[in-house]
């Protein structure tokens, strides 16, 4: 089995040329991916040294007088997205303009208010990039397999917007269409409020005693992982989508208040039920999150004990591969001070028993924690 | 490299006999581990069929008249822990009694109020077992490498409590001593409030549109994973530790309120700063959580593209092992509809460059998202 070969330059949809404004993580990554596919990419940024860096990385060439882009991709921070899109629409009267900001309704409203030609603008939002930033972290493949929202509106024709969908497909992303308001409500729910919740939970640990954090398990690690995100970027995102975030966060706060009231008097009539329903609501909610390949079904998990030595995990996965079983997911768990770890292997439920048999026969110690 | 051999029966500290009361996940798991080490284990439960199941699994023998246990481990739900411990102290006047409930101050206070002989009782709490329950999920190895809190108090001598520490060590756990109040405050912070926060966040998804959950990324999955926990068990835990949980949850709620106020008027003076400080507090808090082997230092991450086929990941890990590099952690990421995934490999920072070189030389596509 060899790694997947790079796509050749011939299997692209977008003709180009493409102009990219803003050479941070996303702009540079888009430039790298398009350049690798043979598209003529020109790069612009308010910082000349940032453009020079992106050119050095191979994301495209420096923008020049006479450029006639088919598509302009604005990849600047949310705060300045609308103004930059307006300037690009004015400077390039034949180009389609899109942006990649994490909020979509505000910039469109600003553009309409400023009388910009939105018949040539359609916003988009690649769900990629995570907590990292800067051209130095850019890679052509960060969009592969990720959703890429295209936020349609009534001022642009379907045909005119086609290049943005081609862009998403060329970069390996999965285009999803929704309105700007729908997008903002959706990301408030699945991205912005989770960020707030994780950050505020992690904040409680700042003055925790050492003995407390020494008890931290995988649950706490998972629940707070995204709290390490960049505050400056998130101030812009949360401010720009404050309306939708407030709507979700208020309901969440009301739920916290209700649970607090029950916990303040846990023996009062109705308190146990209120606590149970809070937990049951969580069960129902987490079941809504799709797994791999869009499936909602849960996988079966087998937990295998592995030594903390190079090669041990590779041998385990080789054994799984030789058994012809497709692993759906894999997680490692370690505890402070432990020289061994647990590998949690997710497989389709029908493969669970065979996997257990095969691994046991090969001498592995299985700790099947799932019922 | 072969899997670690089972410990032989000779390397144990605890002499026994040991009586286990309550043959659910924890009781049966402790019985399995001790029996494997040659300890005489007797099993009791209010449900005769539950005892029979645990005996069938090999966790010990049915309790009988004339049993003279050195140590009694009470493994019943938090609600009935104190009453069960009191009954065991009275029935076995020479035995040391411990329990494994997730809360520690309440049961001790109840025992003292009931005039039980607490000079022979010391509570403990193995940080193991996770969201699963029942003898059917029991395994001898679930304690390996996990913290095991021993909640000391003034009514018992150090020498008298030694058997509980021996128990923890024999099961492969790491004993940590703290007072009952300290334990309850600590687990409220690192376990009980994170459970509440995750459950209430996931609750927001119950009536989410399909388009919203289709945008879910790894961040949402991580933040809500423990929301799938058993509501019945958690009602008992949260009720029994309501005081400590309320203390932490009130501060958290106040933080949510402050952030809500800032988001309701993000352009007001001070709002941006309040939002930024909420995010920065999360950065500081998450940095407090120890990594593997108790280290606080962050690892370097390399992200490698892997095909979604059996054997592909094994080949990657074989390549890493052959390069002689120790992998500190591994995560897989998938997106809906994608036929390939990303493997995030954590290594010590000094190994990062060599790993990238070795993998690239072997044809792997590296997407180093970390700066």
């Amino acid at each position: 089995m060899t790694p997947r070969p790079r796509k050749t330059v011939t299997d692209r949809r977008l003709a180009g040329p493409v102009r990219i404004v803003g050479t941070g993580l996303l702009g540079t990554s888009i430039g790298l991916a398009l350049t690798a596919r043979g598209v003529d990419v020109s790069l612009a940024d308010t910082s000349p040294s940032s453009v020079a860096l992106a050119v050095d990385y191979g994301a495209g060439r420096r923008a020049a007088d006479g450029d006639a882009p088919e598509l302009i991709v604005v990849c600047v921070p949310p705060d300045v997205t609308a103004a930059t899109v307006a300037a690009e629409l004015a400077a390039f009267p034949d180009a389609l303009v899109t942006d990649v900001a994490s909020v979509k309704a505000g910039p469109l409203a600003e553009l309409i208010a400023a009388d910009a030609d939105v018949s040539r603008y359609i916003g988009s939002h690649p769900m990629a990039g995570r907590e990292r930033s800067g051209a130095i972290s850019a890679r052509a493949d960060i969009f592969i397999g990720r959703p890429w929202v295209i936020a349609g509106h009534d001022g642009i024709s379907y045909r005119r917007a086609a290049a943005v969908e081609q862009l998403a497909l060329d970069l390996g992303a999965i285009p999803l269409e929704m309105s700007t308001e729908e997008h903002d409500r959706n990301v408030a729910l699945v991205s912005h409020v989770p960020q707030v919740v994780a950050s505020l939970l992690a904040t409680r640990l700042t003055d925790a005693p050492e003995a407390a954090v020494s008890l931290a398990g995988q649950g706490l690690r998972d629940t707070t992982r995204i709290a390490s995100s960049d505050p400056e970027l998130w101030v812009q995102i949360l401010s720009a989508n404050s309306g939708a975030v407030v709507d979700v966060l208020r309901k969440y706060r009301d739920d916290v208040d209700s649970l607090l009231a029950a916990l303040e008097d846990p023996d009062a009539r109705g308190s146990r039920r209120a606590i149970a329903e809070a937990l049951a609501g969580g069960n129902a909610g987490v079941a809504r999150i799709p797994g791999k390949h869009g499936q909602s079904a849960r996988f079966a998990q087998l937990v295998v004990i592995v030594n903390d030595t190079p090669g041990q995990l590779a041998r385990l996965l080789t054994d799984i591969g030789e058994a012809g079983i497709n692993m759906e997911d894999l997680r490692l768990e370690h505890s402070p001070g432990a020289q061994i770890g647990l590998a949690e292997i997710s497989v389709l439920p029908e493969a669970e028993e065979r996997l257990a048999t095969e691994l046991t026969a090969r001498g592995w110690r299985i700790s099947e924690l799932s019922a």
Side-chain angles (χ1 to χ4, degrees), chain A:
Chain A
M1 205 107 14
T2 52
R4 202 184 203 212
R6 282 175 185 277
K7 284 196 172 189
T8 60
V9 295
T10 52
D11 64 355
R12 75 174 202 241
R13 294 164 186 84
L14 197 63
V18 172
R19 170 176 161 91
I20 293 173
V21 183
T23 51
L25 171 71
L26 289 178
T28 308
S29 296
I30 294 170
L32 287 170
L34 292 177
T35 300
R37 279 160 185 75
V39 177
D40 172 30
V41 175
S42 60
L43 303 168
D45 196 288
T46 51
S47 155
S49 86
S50 174
V51 172
L53 187 63
V55 171
D56 279 353
Y57 276 116
R61 59 173 176 81
R62 191 181 301 271
D65 288 348
D67 283 345
E70 171 198 11
L71 173 67
I72 299 171
V73 189
V74 171
C75 306
V76 301
D79 268 6
V80 291
T81 291
T84 308
V85 168
E88 294 295 316
L89 285 168
F92 296 90
D94 296 323
L96 174 71
V97 180
T98 190
D99 73 294
V100 298
S102 315
V103 287
K104 300 267 67 90
L108 177 63
E110 278 184 65
L111 287 166
I112 291 171
D115 248 346
D117 179 10
V118 295
S119 76
R120 292 185 290 116
Y121 165 74
I122 184 162
S124 70
H125 179 203
M127 308 296 289
R130 309 198 312 177
E131 295 84 51
R132 281 70 173 196
S133 62
I136 199 166
S137 307
R139 287 296 183 282
D141 46 36
I142 63 171
F143 309 102
I144 295 175
R146 301 275 183 176
W148 186 307
V149 176
I150 299 174
H153 61 89
D154 292 337
I156 186 168
S157 71
Y158 182 79
R159 194 193 54 75
R160 197 68 181 89
V164 175
E165 189 169 325
Q166 291 170 353
L167 172 70
L169 291 170
D170 278 351
L171 269 49
I174 301 154
L176 295 173
E177 263 203 273
M178 52 188 76
S179 74
T180 57
E181 292 76 16
E182 208 184 341
H183 166 273
D184 288 1
R185 278 197 309 270
N186 288 342
V187 293
L189 184 61
V190 304
S191 169
H192 302 176
V193 168
Q195 178 64 53
V196 163
V197 162
S199 292
L200 295 182
L201 176 62
T203 296
R204 292 289 102 232
L205 301 172
T206 45
D207 54 1
E210 273 306 317
V213 292
S214 75
L215 300 182
Q218 197 57 39
L220 181 69
R221 285 196 183 84
D222 285 349
T223 316
T224 58
R225 185 181 60 83
I226 56 172
S228 60
S229 298
D230 175 29
E232 272 192 71
L233 175 64
W234 276 96
V235 168
Q236 294 193 28
I237 294 173
L238 294 174
S239 305
N241 199 24
S242 58
V245 171
V246 163
D247 285 347
V248 180
L249 196 55
R250 271 201 195 124
K251 289 180 194 159
Y252 174 81
R253 192 267 322 270
D254 292 347
D255 287 348
V256 174
D257 276 336
S258 301
L259 189 58
L260 256 177
L263 289 170
E264 278 161 0
D265 191 359
D267 297 322
R269 183 168 175 167
S271 285
R272 301 281 165 134
R273 179 173 170 172
I275 301 168
E277 285 180 356
L279 273 298
N283 286 182
V286 81
R288 294 289 317 280
I289 304 176
K292 186 183 158 195
H293 300 180
Q295 293 166 338
S296 280
R298 308 294 288 244
F299 299 114
Q301 271 96 29
L302 275 191
V303 179
V304 182
I305 313 262
V306 290
N307 283 344
D308 186 13
T309 50
Q312 177 78 342
L313 196 60
R315 207 180 69 81
L316 172 64
L317 299 184
T318 301
D319 285 353
I320 296 170
E322 282 176 359
I325 290 167
N326 197 12
M327 193 171 61
E328 300 296 331
D329 208 349
L330 171 70
R331 296 184 71 109
L332 288 190
E333 286 192 23
H334 297 277
S335 294
Q339 289 307 312
I340 61 169
L342 303 174
E344 186 182 79
I345 297 158
S346 299
V347 294
L348 291 174
E350 56 267 31
E352 181 187 4
E353 200 181 319
R354 196 161 64 82
L355 178 61
T357 309
E358 295 272 4
L359 290 183
T360 306
R362 287 166 160 88
W364 292 98
R365 294 171 62 195
I366 291 170
S367 167
E368 187 192 335
L369 294 169
S370 54

